[in-house]
Amino acid sequence: MGVINSEIKPFNATAYKAGEFVEISDADVKGKWAVFFFYPADFTFVCPTELGDVADKYEELQKLGVEVFSVSTDTHFTHKAWHDSSETIGKIQYYMVGDQTGTITNNFGVMREGQGLADRATFLIDPDGVIQAMEITAEGIGRDADDLLRKVKAAQYVRNHPGEVCPAKWKEGEETLSPSLDLVGKI
């Protein structure tokens, strides 16, 4: 799927955020870190647990300079109705993007063939608009915002420390690696 290290494609959409409908585009993503959090549909089962989990980490993501865009093929009107009717969804402060044309979902390659629904997928975008990480799970497998937060911190660390990489299970403050000929066969 050649998605990692590719630049996001142009889009325009309407989102629900902070009690308002707002117009957004790919230009709003560039210059900051962003998470695109795709999910199949509003008013479903696993989706609200995931969106609520991300909502619980939103303040911490914001402190890291990360904006969150949840995306489904529902309309922005449906997002507002869901936000107003669900305690879990009501705590969301990030963008809830309506992608009823499927443009954004197709741009990221996560549209379910013949269903008009997005796969359960997460993309981490750097300030240059380049995809640095992605995760796609099957319908019944929810994602974990703690792991998303760990990946954001690792991606930001690597960007700010050229020549260093973060090993498996790396957490902020732990040792990194500096790949070199001296390390070959010693890990």
Side-chain angles (χ1 to χ4, degrees):
M1 255 205 220
V3 174
I4 298 297
N5 291 320
S6 67
E7 195 168 334
I8 63 168
K9 296 177 182 172
F11 71 87
N12 290 292
T14 304
Y16 179 72
K17 184 178 191 317
E20 297 180 0
F21 295 131
V22 293
E23 298 302 314
I24 62 166
S25 73
D26 53 295
D28 295 310
V29 177
K30 298 204 177 155
K32 64 184 122 201
W33 287 89
V35 167
F36 277 73
F37 199 80
F38 290 88
Y39 63 98
D42 291 1
F43 296 99
T44 56
F45 314 102
V46 175
C47 299
T49 67
E50 294 181 308
L51 285 131
D53 189 32
V54 172
D56 292 341
K57 299 295 180 190
Y58 184 60
E59 186 177 332
E60 192 170 351
L61 287 163
Q62 288 276 276
K63 287 178 184 172
L64 294 170
V66 179
E67 188 52 75
V68 176
F69 299 86
S70 65
V71 184
S72 78
T73 55
D74 296 294
T75 68
H76 53 287
F77 299 112
T78 306
H79 293 331
K80 181 193 181 314
W82 195 25
H83 190 274
D84 292 349
S85 66
S86 166
E87 186 176 322
T88 299
I89 301 306
K91 65 185 176 180
I92 291 174
Q93 298 299 310
Y94 51 79
Y95 291 90
M96 297 179 75
V97 183
D99 186 32
Q100 63 270 22
T101 65
T103 301
I104 304 168
T105 306
N106 280 309
N107 282 355
F108 281 87
V110 293
M111 180 68 82
R112 292 181 186 173
E113 186 81 28
Q115 293 184 29
L117 300 174
D119 280 326
R120 201 173 295 292
T122 308
F123 295 86
L124 173 59
I125 317 298
D126 73 17
D128 299 318
V130 175
I131 299 169
Q132 294 299 315
M134 63 183 271
E135 176 183 18
I136 301 174
T137 66
E139 176 65 28
I141 303 170
R143 293 160 285 177
D144 184 338
D146 284 325
D147 194 47
L148 172 61
L149 194 55
R150 184 191 66 78
K151 289 175 187 173
V152 166
K153 290 176 181 180
Q156 290 181 340
Y157 185 91
V158 168
R159 181 180 174 97
N160 294 329
H161 298 87
E164 293 183 48
V165 296
C166 297
K169 297 184 180 183
W170 179 86
K171 300 252 189 320
E172 188 174 30
E174 293 181 353
E175 260 189 67
T176 59
L177 300 172
S178 296
S180 68
L181 188 58
D182 296 339
L183 271 183
V184 175
K186 296 192 177 160
I187 297 175

